[in-house]
Amino acid sequence: MIQQFKGFLLVLIGFMLFMPVIAQQDVRVRFLNQYEGPVTEFTLETSAGNKDYITDKEGYASVSLQPGEKAILKATDHDTTSFSIDQLPENKTVVVKKHFSWKDLLNPMFYIIYGGLWMLLLIVFAETGLFAGFFLPGDSLLFVAGIYSSPLANEAWKIIGMDGRGNEWLDLLLLIGLISFAGIIGNTVGFWFGRKIGPSMFRWKDNLLFKKHYLEEAHEFYDKHGGGAIVFARFLPVVRTFAPIIAGIVGMDKKKFAFYNIVGCLAWVVSMIMGGHFLQLWVKNQFGFELKEHLEVIIIVIVLVTTAPVAWKVISGKRKKMAKEKAEN
């Protein structure tokens, strides 16, 4: 009996000595903001004291917490957040809300998170129909919408009061249809705006929401490409905002404009939505990670690709102007 008690006591002591080792084992956790970007630096307040952490480029850090222990996370420009390891989801991710800053308006995720499908449709309409919408991130927003097509499509089904969820192609077709409709209506509004008061815009002075040289560049682009400019312009930031206005100013035939408007909008929306959706699936199947984890890089690439033609046009235009002035002198 005594020997059994001693054995039990030794096991109990060993277990008690081993417990702290288990409790202090590091757990790899991912720390992201609501835009799915990494929280690079933060401080954790625990019963053992405060400890500073620096995450890797994907937001991962190894933290030491006892089971069930609440940790308080503090990071600059983020809300204070508390969590415990055993209450985290299976992917061991902590979402820390980032404070608003004006540069968030250039982040497509901002509109998807806080506005959903309605905000997406409004932005597509504004960027293609209102001259004040030229700064909105149309291309990158549609590409990101393709990556997040499932939740956006679920919202779309609720809007039309139907249940078509679960079918990938129906989801994509519905999303493409609604966004294309918003873009077509937007361009139509821009066209009628150009017909009514467009000519007077060339006498407007520059302000925060209007730049005369954007209008002049769109006019030059239209003169060069004709009706096809309505299609090409869809893929060029700034130009796509002013192209329908220019078409209205020069008195383009209504039926001709409607044709190019529909073709251009469908080509733009389909390529961006499908590109984001299927590239996400391909990358996940081939390389085992999701594009959602690298949205910042994707957005930068899209911005560079879509603005390169405009930048080149501006640079070459200035060179030609300088060469012409030099020849005249």
Side-chain angles (χ1 to χ4, degrees):
M1 185 70 178
I2 295 176
Q3 291 297 327
Q4 291 178 342
F5 177 75
K6 286 182 178 180
F8 174 76
L9 188 60
L10 288 173
V11 172
L12 181 62
I13 292 173
F15 181 75
M16 292 177 66
L17 291 173
F18 187 63
M19 275 295 290
V21 177
I22 298 177
Q24 293 303 318
Q25 283 185 339
D26 288 345
V27 180
R28 187 170 168 81
V29 180
R30 195 177 191 194
F31 299 90
L32 302 176
N33 59 36
Q34 69 269 38
Y35 307 128
E36 302 196 7
V39 180
T40 56
E41 298 181 12
F42 61 88
T43 299
L44 277 189
E45 296 182 1
T46 66
S47 58
N50 297 348
K51 185 176 180 180
D52 295 329
Y53 290 87
I54 297 178
T55 63
D56 61 21
K57 61 181 180 180
E58 294 184 349
Y60 285 101
S62 295
V63 299
S64 298
L65 289 175
Q66 297 177 6
E69 179 183 12
K70 283 283 186 180
I72 299 176
L73 183 152
K74 294 183 178 180
T76 304
D77 297 326
H78 292 73
D79 287 353
T80 299
T81 305
S82 63
F83 69 95
S84 63
I85 295 297
D86 54 333
Q87 292 180 344
L88 292 180
E90 186 178 350
N91 59 6
K92 292 293 187 291
T93 300
V94 176
V95 179
V96 188
K97 188 176 180 180
K98 177 181 174 294
H99 297 165
F100 173 79
S101 64
W102 289 108
K103 66 180 182 180
D104 290 340
L105 297 177
L106 300 177
N107 185 349
M109 284 297 294
F110 173 83
Y111 302 100
I112 291 178
I113 290 173
Y114 292 106
L117 180 63
W118 283 112
M119 181 64 74
L120 173 61
L121 297 177
L122 178 61
I123 288 174
V124 170
F125 170 82
E127 193 191 20
T128 57
L130 306 177
F131 70 83
F134 67 87
F135 66 91
L136 295 169
D139 295 312
S140 53
L141 180 60
L142 289 186
F143 193 87
V144 173
I147 296 175
Y148 288 88
S149 58
S150 292
L152 289 172
N154 289 342
E155 188 177 349
W157 287 116
K158 292 179 182 178
I159 291 176
I160 64 175
M162 294 178 61
D163 186 12
R165 289 169 286 179
N167 187 307
E168 179 184 21
W169 285 104
L170 281 179
D171 286 351
L172 289 173
L173 288 175
L174 176 61
L175 200 58
I176 289 171
L178 290 175
I179 296 173
S180 297
F181 179 75
I184 291 169
I185 295 300
N187 253 19
T188 302
V189 171
F191 176 75
W192 285 104
F193 183 83
R195 289 179 71 92
K196 297 299 181 182
I197 64 172
S200 65
M201 293 176 66
F202 286 95
R203 298 190 295 272
W204 290 8
K205 294 182 179 180
D206 286 356
N207 54 53
L208 182 64
L209 298 177
F210 175 79
K211 303 295 181 184
K212 185 178 177 180
H213 69 91
Y214 291 152
L215 193 64
E216 293 171 344
E217 287 174 7
H219 201 311
E220 183 181 344
F221 187 81
Y222 181 86
D223 289 340
K224 183 177 181 180
H225 298 284
I230 305 301
V231 177
F232 302 144
R234 286 286 185 178
F235 298 87
L236 298 175
V238 180
V239 175
R240 66 169 155 261
T241 303
F242 292 94
I245 297 176
I246 295 298
I249 292 174
V250 300
M252 185 177 184
D253 180 72
K254 299 175 187 178
K255 293 182 179 179
K256 184 179 179 181
F257 172 80
F259 172 77
Y260 285 114
N261 181 20
I262 294 172
V263 171
C265 190
L266 286 174
W268 180 51
V269 175
V270 169
S271 61
M272 290 297 169
I273 294 292
M274 291 293 194
H277 179 80
F278 288 106
L279 185 60
Q280 153 77 5
L281 295 178
W282 182 79
V283 169
K284 186 175 181 179
N285 292 332
Q286 293 293 321
F287 304 103
F289 68 88
E290 298 192 13
L291 292 180
K292 298 175 183 179
E293 301 175 357
H294 304 278
L295 284 181
E296 292 183 353
V297 176
I298 293 171
I299 292 168
I300 291 173
V301 171
I302 292 174
V303 170
L304 290 176
V305 170
T306 56
T307 57
V310 178
W312 174 254
K313 185 172 177 19
V314 172
I315 294 173
S316 60
K318 288 183 178 180
R319 287 179 178 176
K320 289 180 181 179
K321 185 177 180 180
M322 292 174 62
K324 184 178 180 180
E325 291 177 351
K326 187 176 180 180
E328 291 176 351
N329 294 333

